Amino acid sequence: MPKTMKGPGIFLAQFAGDAAPFNSLPNIARWAAGHGYKGIQIPSWDGRLFDLKKAAESAAYCDEVKGICSDAGVEITELSTHLQGQLVATHPAYDIPFDGFAPESVHGNLKARQEWAVEQVKSAAKASRNLGLDVTVSFSGALAFPYLYPWPQRPDGLIDEAFTELARRWKPIFDVYEDHGVDVAFELHPGEDLFDGATFEMFLDKVGGHKRCMINYDPSHFLLQQLDYLAFIDLYHERISAFHVKDAEFNPDGRQGVYSGYQPWVKRAGRFRSLGDGQVDFTGIFSKLAQYDYDRWAVLEWECALKHPEQGAAEGAPFIEHHIIRVTEKAFDDFAAGAKDQDKLRKMLGIA
């Protein structure tokens, strides 16, 4: 049977805060539903909204969380472990800024911080199963990214060693996810070692094609890299198990291009925009995903350089709703079809 994607959903990470209605799960769930969202993607690190440890250990707590969402009129799309996944592998160049992603008890202690992150990501597998979810979204972390540009010339084997180590760290995590029947869908993102199709393939090969190693498709990052994000779906649709609906624009000039000259977001040649304000071909994307029977969630991720988040959220739900394609169950020319007649077929071919 043809499959239709679910949505609209909204990623709560950029909206959660200390003031109502963004300061608790009941409040923010009702806020999301009020804007027309049917699903919420929960940042698993944000204790104002969710207790990951309790969710991994207690089915009763997960039932309570699901009940809160149901009462508000939404369901959970996925748990996000972006911040914890980032810390599974961190190059020393980023140690200080990434300490902010972890509790103070492991700040300045790379080994303890990594162990904490791994346990967090594993806990998300257990919590997802308790919540009845089949996929999480995450980052891969990065060991090689500081060496992205090949100058000075990279020593032979440097990148291979980085991906070998990255795979060594993630393979046992994938095995836990396999035990619980949950995917890890990586957002392919600059700053991570997995940032495009080539790097994803390198990693996938290193983990032996593990079935739980999947993709959270986000076209905004591909547009800013000038990658063909529609062809990407043709190549990797079997590995896409989550979808961040996020817009972007790329306007190079005589002063800057893809790297954007260390400029702040508003002044960059490439910048994220609210849905419909950028250059991403969402009609093409939703058509491609429908063609390949993508039936999971379409989730807004808001990161606009200009527009207020609440305006972006209000506009996002109808935008996604408008683009979701209800996949047809019949061909447009079925009315002209007839019953199969072998003799007639052979006559038509001149071989009767």
Side-chain angles (χ1 to χ4, degrees):
M1 289 289 293
K3 299 177 180 179
T4 297
M5 76 173 68
K6 295 180 284 188
I10 185 170
F11 186 25
L12 299 180
Q14 285 83 9
F15 299 94
D18 293 329
F22 309 109
N23 58 345
S24 72
L25 185 61
N27 285 343
I28 202 169
R30 287 192 295 269
W31 168 83
H35 280 305
Y37 291 99
K38 300 175 182 176
I40 54 174
Q41 187 177 93
I42 297 178
S44 67
W45 62 86
D46 196 323
R48 293 168 298 193
L49 308 181
F50 188 72
D51 187 326
L52 178 58
K53 184 176 186 295
K54 186 183 290 188
E57 298 172 350
S58 171
Y61 171 72
C62 289
D63 288 342
E64 178 186 340
V65 169
K66 289 191 292 184
I68 289 170
C69 294
S70 178
D71 289 345
V74 296
E75 57 185 287
I76 302 169
T77 66
E78 300 94 6
L79 297 180
S80 160
T81 61
H82 282 80
L83 301 195
Q84 303 100 314
Q86 179 77 68
L87 301 183
V88 169
T90 306
H91 189 278
Y94 302 114
D95 267 350
I96 293 175
F98 283 155
D99 257 353
F101 290 2
E104 288 187 17
S105 60
V106 298
H107 287 186
N109 186 333
L110 178 59
K111 183 175 185 295
R113 192 181 69 192
Q114 180 191 339
E115 290 174 350
W116 171 85
V118 169
E119 287 308 308
Q120 285 273 299
V121 177
K122 288 180 178 178
S123 291
K126 301 171 187 176
S128 293
R129 180 44 50 218
N130 285 340
L131 290 164
L133 305 175
D134 298 329
V135 58
T136 63
V137 290
S138 195
F139 281 151
S140 67
L143 300 172
F145 197 79
Y147 305 103
L148 173 68
Y149 196 81
W151 180 257
Q153 187 179 36
R154 292 188 292 258
D156 287 345
L158 178 70
I159 302 304
D160 184 73
E161 183 67 23
F163 275 79
T164 297
E165 176 63 19
L166 192 67
R168 186 190 69 79
R169 298 185 188 190
W170 275 101
K171 179 61 164 58
I173 298 173
F174 289 147
D175 291 343
V176 171
Y177 276 74
E178 172 62 15
D179 290 343
H180 291 86
V182 180
D183 292 342
V184 181
F186 290 112
E187 185 171 345
L188 306 184
H189 186 294
E192 314 303 315
D193 279 347
L194 309 189
F195 59 85
D196 60 8
T199 53
F200 179 77
E201 287 183 19
M202 291 164 61
F203 180 69
L204 187 63
D205 182 63
K206 290 289 187 181
V207 297
H210 203 292
K211 66 182 291 187
R212 296 302 172 183
C213 180
M214 302 293 278
I215 294 168
N216 174 28
Y217 178 77
D218 183 336
S220 67
H221 301 301
F222 296 155
L223 184 141
L224 297 188
Q225 295 179 65
Q226 295 295 279
L227 183 153
D228 187 336
Y229 51 83
L230 293 177
F232 183 96
I233 298 173
D234 290 325
L235 291 170
Y236 302 109
H237 59 90
E238 293 180 350
R239 289 280 173 175
I240 295 173
S241 62
F243 175 24
H244 269 177
V245 190
K246 191 168 73 177
D247 211 343
E249 62 184 358
F250 180 61
N251 298 305
D253 57 25
R255 297 179 65 246
Q256 55 168 292
V258 170
Y259 299 114
S260 290
Y262 295 114
Q263 298 303 295
W265 276 111
V266 172
K267 296 182 179 180
R268 292 175 66 88
R271 57 189 186 177
F272 299 124
R273 299 300 309 275
S274 285
L275 295 184
D277 294 342
Q279 299 166 348
V280 173
D281 177 8
F282 286 107
T283 298
I285 288 170
F286 278 81
S287 294
K288 284 278 187 186
L289 291 174
Q291 173 185 339
Y292 290 116
D293 287 334
Y294 177 81
D295 62 351
R296 297 178 185 264
W297 283 91
V299 177
L300 167 73
E301 184 180 25
W302 174 90
E303 290 183 344
C304 187
L306 296 174
K307 186 169 286 183
H308 192 281
E310 291 190 47
Q311 182 181 358
E315 295 173 352
F319 184 95
I320 294 172
E321 187 81 52
H322 173 74
H323 280 83
I324 290 177
I325 295 171
R326 180 185 175 188
V327 181
T328 181
E329 297 176 354
K330 63 178 183 178
F332 64 87
D333 56 356
D334 280 352
F335 74 93
K340 183 176 179 180
D341 183 326
Q342 191 71 24
D343 291 337
K344 182 178 179 180
L345 296 178
R346 293 180 63 82
K347 287 179 180 180
M348 290 178 68
L349 294 170
I351 55 177

